[in-house]
Short mmCIF file of all heavy atoms in Angstrom, two decimals:
data_model
loop_
_atom_site.label_atom_id
_atom_site.label_comp_id
_atom_site.label_asym_id
_atom_site.label_seq_id
_atom_site.Cartn_x
_atom_site.Cartn_y
_atom_site.Cartn_z
N ASN A 161 -15.10 15.27 -30.92
CA ASN A 161 -15.21 13.82 -31.06
C ASN A 161 -14.41 13.09 -29.99
O ASN A 161 -14.86 12.06 -29.46
CB ASN A 161 -14.73 13.39 -32.45
CG ASN A 161 -15.70 13.80 -33.54
OD1 ASN A 161 -16.89 13.97 -33.30
ND2 ASN A 161 -15.19 13.95 -34.76
N SER A 162 -13.21 13.60 -29.66
CA SER A 162 -12.40 12.93 -28.65
C SER A 162 -13.05 13.01 -27.27
O SER A 162 -13.00 12.05 -26.49
CB SER A 162 -11.00 13.55 -28.61
OG SER A 162 -11.06 14.93 -28.26
N GLU A 163 -13.68 14.14 -26.95
CA GLU A 163 -14.37 14.27 -25.66
C GLU A 163 -15.57 13.34 -25.59
O GLU A 163 -15.84 12.71 -24.56
CB GLU A 163 -14.78 15.72 -25.44
CG GLU A 163 -13.62 16.66 -25.18
CD GLU A 163 -14.05 18.11 -25.16
OE1 GLU A 163 -15.06 18.46 -25.79
OE2 GLU A 163 -13.35 18.91 -24.51
N VAL A 164 -16.30 13.25 -26.69
CA VAL A 164 -17.45 12.34 -26.74
C VAL A 164 -16.98 10.90 -26.62
O VAL A 164 -17.59 10.08 -25.93
CB VAL A 164 -18.25 12.56 -28.03
CG1 VAL A 164 -19.32 11.48 -28.18
CG2 VAL A 164 -18.89 13.95 -28.04
N GLN A 165 -15.85 10.58 -27.25
CA GLN A 165 -15.30 9.22 -27.21
C GLN A 165 -14.95 8.83 -25.77
O GLN A 165 -15.25 7.72 -25.32
CB GLN A 165 -14.06 9.14 -28.10
CG GLN A 165 -13.30 7.84 -28.04
CD GLN A 165 -14.01 6.69 -28.75
OE1 GLN A 165 -15.08 6.90 -29.35
NE2 GLN A 165 -13.44 5.51 -28.69
N ARG A 166 -14.32 9.75 -25.05
CA ARG A 166 -13.95 9.44 -23.67
C ARG A 166 -15.16 9.35 -22.75
O ARG A 166 -15.12 8.66 -21.73
CB ARG A 166 -12.97 10.49 -23.14
CG ARG A 166 -11.56 10.37 -23.72
CD ARG A 166 -10.56 11.19 -22.93
NE ARG A 166 -10.81 12.62 -23.05
CZ ARG A 166 -10.32 13.39 -23.98
NH1 ARG A 166 -9.53 12.87 -24.92
NH2 ARG A 166 -10.57 14.69 -24.02
N ALA A 167 -16.24 10.04 -23.10
CA ALA A 167 -17.42 10.05 -22.24
C ALA A 167 -18.11 8.69 -22.16
O ALA A 167 -18.93 8.48 -21.27
CB ALA A 167 -18.41 11.11 -22.73
N LYS A 168 -17.75 7.77 -23.06
CA LYS A 168 -18.39 6.45 -23.01
C LYS A 168 -18.05 5.72 -21.71
O LYS A 168 -18.80 4.85 -21.26
CB LYS A 168 -17.97 5.61 -24.21
CG LYS A 168 -16.51 5.20 -24.25
CD LYS A 168 -16.19 4.39 -25.49
CE LYS A 168 -14.73 3.92 -25.51
NZ LYS A 168 -13.80 5.06 -25.65
N THR A 169 -16.91 6.08 -21.10
CA THR A 169 -16.57 5.48 -19.81
C THR A 169 -17.55 5.92 -18.74
O THR A 169 -17.88 5.16 -17.82
CB THR A 169 -15.13 5.85 -19.42
OG1 THR A 169 -14.25 5.51 -20.48
CG2 THR A 169 -14.70 5.10 -18.17
N MET A 170 -18.05 7.16 -18.85
CA MET A 170 -19.08 7.62 -17.92
C MET A 170 -20.39 6.86 -18.14
O MET A 170 -21.15 6.61 -17.19
CB MET A 170 -19.30 9.12 -18.09
CG MET A 170 -18.14 9.99 -17.62
SD MET A 170 -17.76 9.81 -15.85
CE MET A 170 -16.33 8.71 -15.92
N PHE A 171 -20.65 6.48 -19.39
CA PHE A 171 -21.81 5.62 -19.67
C PHE A 171 -21.68 4.31 -18.91
O PHE A 171 -22.62 3.85 -18.25
CB PHE A 171 -21.91 5.37 -21.18
CG PHE A 171 -23.04 4.46 -21.59
CD1 PHE A 171 -24.21 4.99 -22.11
CD2 PHE A 171 -22.94 3.07 -21.46
CE1 PHE A 171 -25.26 4.15 -22.50
CE2 PHE A 171 -23.98 2.24 -21.83
CZ PHE A 171 -25.15 2.77 -22.36
N ALA A 172 -20.49 3.69 -19.00
CA ALA A 172 -20.26 2.43 -18.30
C ALA A 172 -20.41 2.60 -16.80
O ALA A 172 -20.98 1.74 -16.11
CB ALA A 172 -18.86 1.90 -18.64
N LEU A 173 -19.91 3.72 -16.27
CA LEU A 173 -20.05 3.99 -14.85
C LEU A 173 -21.51 4.12 -14.46
O LEU A 173 -21.93 3.61 -13.41
CB LEU A 173 -19.28 5.27 -14.49
CG LEU A 173 -19.42 5.78 -13.06
CD1 LEU A 173 -18.92 4.75 -12.06
CD2 LEU A 173 -18.67 7.10 -12.89
N GLY A 174 -22.31 4.80 -15.28
CA GLY A 174 -23.73 4.93 -14.99
C GLY A 174 -24.42 3.58 -14.96
O GLY A 174 -25.27 3.32 -14.09
N LEU A 175 -24.06 2.71 -15.89
CA LEU A 175 -24.66 1.37 -15.93
C LEU A 175 -24.31 0.58 -14.67
O LEU A 175 -25.17 -0.05 -14.05
CB LEU A 175 -24.19 0.64 -17.18
CG LEU A 175 -24.62 -0.81 -17.34
CD1 LEU A 175 -26.14 -0.93 -17.31
CD2 LEU A 175 -24.06 -1.39 -18.64
N LEU A 176 -23.03 0.60 -14.26
CA LEU A 176 -22.61 -0.12 -13.05
C LEU A 176 -23.27 0.47 -11.81
O LEU A 176 -23.63 -0.26 -10.88
CB LEU A 176 -21.09 -0.07 -12.92
CG LEU A 176 -20.29 -0.88 -13.94
CD1 LEU A 176 -18.81 -0.54 -13.83
CD2 LEU A 176 -20.51 -2.38 -13.72
N THR A 177 -23.41 1.80 -11.79
CA THR A 177 -24.06 2.45 -10.64
C THR A 177 -25.49 1.97 -10.50
O THR A 177 -25.98 1.70 -9.39
CB THR A 177 -24.00 3.97 -10.81
OG1 THR A 177 -22.64 4.38 -10.93
CG2 THR A 177 -24.62 4.68 -9.61
#
Side-chain angles (χ1 to χ4, degrees):
N161 289 335
S162 62
E163 290 172 334
V164 172
Q165 174 74 3
R166 287 194 293 271
K168 67 181 183 294
T169 307
M170 291 299 101
F171 178 101
L173 174 60
L175 176 57
L176 290 170
T177 302

